[in-house]
Amino acid sequence: DAGVIQSPRHEVTEMGQEVTLRCKPISGHNSLFWYRQTMMRGLELLIYFNNNVPIDDSGMPEDRFSAKMPNASFSTLKIQPSEPRDSAVYFCASSLTRRPYEQYFGPGTRLTVT
Amino acid sequence: AQSVAQPEDQVNVAEGNPLTVKCTYSVSGNPYLFWYVQYPNRGLQFLLKYITGDNLVKGSYGFEAEFNKSQTSFHLKKPSALVSDSALYFCAVRDKYSSASKIIFGSGTRLSIRP
């Protein structure tokens, strides 16, 4: 099992640019979560999907952030335009509906916005 | 609101000694509680959960946690620490007010095991 796959692992971009983070969940998992981790704010849930449908996006900071899950094996988190305060590590996680609290995290994408 | 608190930012233990990482919770109704671990430059890994049943829950890597309803605590323990246990540990609780699957993480406790 390859685990949750995220790309890129590192992203450095300039303020105002569009950033797209990608995630491939574990095959067969039907819940997908996007988190953001910073020293100041800790680990924050941004949005999660169940069977490709967004269930709760209350954690998305503002309209600059958007997430999609076009199919069961792929999700994106997009920031447009990016700002320096978006610099963080972004994690994707997936789980089975019958074991929703045992989430499997990807290695994360470290985003730096200059 | 559902929440967990980890009162210690850092815990230092000598290898071979027992370790405890503290967590207290505040929930309405029956709590669903979890521990996760994060090794450097990695995503979080699930360690164990308490939903119902025995108050002492066993998990991965020799860790266990004790649910104490009267003290609203869910402390993580291990009888004999290893240097490889050094990591960031997160306590978490189910958000029962969300539609499903949402958990709320604590601020994390950095565990450092010295040889």
Side-chain angles (χ1 to χ4, degrees):
Chain A
D1 191 339
V4 175
I5 298 172
Q6 291 187 247
S7 64
R9 293 293 308 276
H10 301 274
E11 177 79 38
V12 180
T13 190
E14 292 183 348
M15 182 174 63
Q17 296 298 306
E18 177 180 297
V19 175
T20 299
L21 311 182
R22 297 172 174 81
C23 175
K24 177 179 170 56
I26 292 174
S27 178
H29 283 193
N30 41 19
S31 293
L32 183 139
F33 308 81
W34 282 101
Y35 291 91
R36 178 171 68 176
Q37 186 177 37
T38 61
M39 289 293 293
M40 291 296 295
R41 301 174 68 92
L43 193 64
E44 305 172 275
L45 176 65
L46 300 177
I47 185 172
Y48 75 92
F49 296 82
N50 195 43
N51 292 323
N52 312 337
V53 176
I55 302 299
D56 183 348
D57 65 354
S58 60
M60 296 286 262
E62 47 198 275
D63 291 346
R64 298 185 296 107
F65 285 69
S66 63
K68 294 182 179 180
M69 192 165 186
N71 58 62
S73 59
F74 184 65
S75 177
T76 59
L77 178 68
K78 184 178 294 186
I79 308 172
Q80 166 63 17
S82 58
E83 296 183 2
R85 59 192 170 121
D86 301 330
S87 297
V89 180
Y90 291 81
F91 290 103
C92 175
S94 68
S95 70
L96 290 166
T97 297
R98 66 176 185 270
R99 301 174 82 169
Y101 308 112
E102 296 181 30
Q103 297 180 11
Y104 291 77
F105 281 69
T109 295
R110 182 173 297 276
L111 174 65
T112 302
V113 183
T114 61
Chain B
Q2 316 284 91
S3 66
V4 290
Q6 295 182 244
E8 302 157 315
D9 290 336
Q10 173 110 18
V11 171
N12 300 308
V13 177
E15 186 176 29
N17 284 359
L19 69 87
T20 299
V21 183
K22 295 180 180 178
C23 173
T24 58
Y25 64 87
S26 175
V27 303
S28 56
N30 295 322
Y32 287 20
L33 297 162
F34 317 94
W35 277 100
Y36 278 75
V37 60
Q38 184 179 23
Y39 297 103
N41 300 314
R42 303 282 296 277
L44 279 69
Q45 294 180 34
F46 174 80
L47 271 181
L48 51 80
K49 67 182 176 185
Y50 172 83
I51 294 180
T52 187
D54 289 341
N55 289 343
L56 188 63
V57 179
K58 294 190 182 298
S60 306
Y61 310 122
F63 283 93
E64 58 190 23
E66 185 171 12
F67 172 68
N68 188 316
K69 188 173 183 178
S70 63
Q71 297 185 5
T72 62
S73 67
F74 189 58
H75 300 334
L76 182 70
K77 300 181 180 183
K78 188 172 182 180
S80 179
L82 300 173
V83 173
S84 57
D85 293 330
S86 299
L88 189 57
Y89 290 81
F90 291 92
C91 183
V93 64
R94 175 189 69 155
D95 182 357
K96 65 178 288 186
Y97 298 109
S98 74
S99 57
S101 304
K102 184 175 180 180
I103 59 177
I104 299 169
F105 288 92
S107 56
T109 297
R110 189 165 299 281
L111 177 64
S112 178
I113 309 298
R114 61 183 183 275

